[in-house]
Amino acid sequence: MTVTEQGLLERDKDTMTLNMGPQHPSTHGVFRVVLEMDGEVVLSAVPEIGYLHTGIEKSSENKRYVHVIPMTDRLDYLNPPGNNLAFCLTTEKLLQVEIPGRAQYIRVIMCELTRIASHLLWLGTHALDIGAMTVFLYAWREREMILDLNEMISGVRMMTSFIRIGGVAKDATPEWIQGTRKFIDYFPEKIDEYESLLTKNPIWMDRTQEVGVFSKEQALDWSFSGPCLRASGVDFDFRKKRPYSGYENFRFEVPVGKNGDIYDRYRCRIQEMRESREIIKQALDALPDDGYKIPDNKISLPPRNTLKTSMEALIHHFKLVSEGIKVPAGETYVPTEGPRGEVGFYIVSDGSNVPYRVKLRAPSFMASPGMCHMMTGHFIADVVGIIGSVDIVMGEVDR
Amino acid sequence: MIDTVTQFLSDNVGLIVGAVKAAVIAVALLSSVPILVWLERRLMGRFQVRLGPNRVGPFGLGQPFADAVKLLFKESIIQGSADKFLFFLAPAVVVFTAIVTFSAIPFGASFTLFGQEIGPHVANINVGLLFVFAISSMGIYGIVLAGLASNNKYSLMGGLRSSAQMISYELTLGLAALGVIIVSGSLNLVEIVEDQSVVPNIILQPLAFILFFTAGIAETNRAPFDLPEAEQELVAGFHTEYTGMKFAMFFMGEYVNMITMSAMVTVLFLGGWNAYIFEFMVPPVIGPIIVFASKVFILLCVFIWLRSTFPRIRYDRLMTFGWKVLLPLAVLNLMVSGFIKVVL
């Protein structure tokens, strides 16, 4: 219940306008919100975005499809493989190609690892916002391992750009598979450790329960997606409802909350980390062996060693590198489930080697007005809690 | 000439001894701040699976001194809209009250030096407890003034929170201490310690101890009650606009207050310099001070431990907790203690 609803506060006309951000320790990047305050209570909150405008959508119109992939990494910088995947899936749908199982599974493993990493970052910063400092560093410790795994497979820790049109950039090495196995065996007890610091902690419960409540209807009205939507009690997950990239092959639960408060969002995400671990485990166990990219050399580069012996391979290589992939004219959209919600690219192709228009459906952008609505009637201390619980990433809000 | 000097000295022994003691204690207190900062950073590092400062000097012990030097040479920035006089006054008030509070706290048994009986405290005031409360509550003026003088909304909110918090928790602090006074029958801190030579007050007044320590954490603005400077909400609270040494003075004030509060808990509840079953290990003269310092050290570690474990409590809950939980419990404790004292 908000403070104004409880009738704890007598309203008077003297209010204070407080500018929070873009330089503020806990607005998660360069988010700015202008708060109308009555004492410590927020009367209205107006979001101001645009401080991290990169023009990625526009620059995509001048870049070949393959060249767009590294830019998608920088949109939601906590979910690079997820963005790569969303872009590649859409392009592949336009190209009407079928991706080999191994590539799909590697993609899933990378995306789920990144989901864990993203949730760990969320957990750490969210707990830090509420004042629990230690959880932050514990979460960082495990995130570091995921980044090491990323480096092992792609050579880059964060902006992997590993998922390519037609598959993935390289095959998964045995070392990486072994490292991932080691990580998922080690990880569950660490989740218990975070939970031991927070879940039953009276101060944590006090700070998060019945704060920032969004009902089922409100969450749908304000176009929430992902964990925020599920915490409000809507059982919706694209991995289940419209499976892509082989998600239909894995058994996992979709955690759903009840009250739609900060605490439920916290519980949902914690549970999601456990489920992601399950998915990775199953994917590693059932990793097929049918190639990490499609054999069609008009879309994916021919193997390096064939270049010196095969004329055709050389020509394909030259054409692909100099001209890029020609995508048939059309427009399409493939929704995927990112750590923050529905991520998808709407791509319009005019048949050339550069997209005519690329539009990102960014969950953080869609959630930010609802988030500010949520702040109304709460204390300023809850504002940072709400920002943290919705988990916005400015990179995809301003794009 | 020499006669006059000797005459003056022998006439004013008390004054000279007092001045020397005051200087020694003030210096010791201020120089323990960097060590405490180092301890906090190292301990927090251990709690949080990292190393903490370990580059400057052995075990990183030089780090706080390096920081102090850096802060001294920082540019002092005062924004144009600030009230200059109050802006300068605020940190001075904080440090002054923090140090003066300690003057009434006895941290060892009396010993004899050059035929003079010397008690390790600046002043043995017969209402010592009242003096400590009176002076320590003055420290909040510094914080409120800082919030006011900065002319910054975040600072103002920090200052407001601070005043509300201090007033609420001082009541509990005082009422919890009253339980001790009922047991000891004195306001004199030396007598309170001597009264505990057999059984420390923590056993006689366990509830009062918990209440006093909790309220003490709130009183010193430490986590989980560090709302006046809640970094994630108010940027840095009342000291948002402060730079360089003026910021360092707030910092020093906070740490001296931590030491003072731990010393108060030691005096009131943990039996001061009485070592109880470890009495046989205590060396003469310097021994009681070591015993006292060890108890303070343990309490300081608890302060740091709490900071690394708990999230920050919310402002309204802080008030509710103070007025609806701590205060009634303190009153209850007082009534029960009084009843037992009268009946038995």
Side-chain angles (χ1 to χ4, degrees), chain A residues 105-106 108-113 116 149 176-188 239 247 249-252 272-288:
Chain A
Y105 275 43
I106 295 172
V108 166
I109 296 169
M110 285 202 78
C111 286
E112 293 305 320
L113 277 176
I116 293 176
L149 286 173
W176 181 74
I177 294 171
Q178 205 186 351
T180 313
R181 269 190 202 287
K182 227 161 115 186
F183 174 75
I184 58 169
D185 288 341
Y186 155 92
F187 189 52
R239 292 175 296 174
Y247 270 108
N249 303 331
F250 308 119
R251 293 181 317 279
F252 61 99
E272 258 178 38
M273 287 202 271
R274 294 185 203 275
E275 295 302 331
S276 289
R277 181 200 164 263
E278 283 301 314
I279 296 172
I280 296 169
K281 196 167 171 1
Q282 291 169 35
L284 282 174
D285 287 343
L287 197 63

Side-chain angles (χ1 to χ4, degrees), chain A residues 242-277:
Chain A
R242 286 163 87 175
Y244 53 91
S245 195
Y247 270 108
E248 63 277 7
N249 303 331
F250 308 119
R251 293 181 317 279
F252 61 99
E253 300 289 314
V254 176
V256 176
K258 217 163 52 202
N259 306 322
D261 54 9
I262 298 183
Y263 191 68
D264 276 15
R265 276 171 230 142
Y266 157 76
R267 291 296 294 271
C268 273
R269 286 202 179 90
I270 290 277
Q271 202 51 40
E272 258 178 38
M273 287 202 271
R274 294 185 203 275
E275 295 302 331
S276 289
R277 181 200 164 263

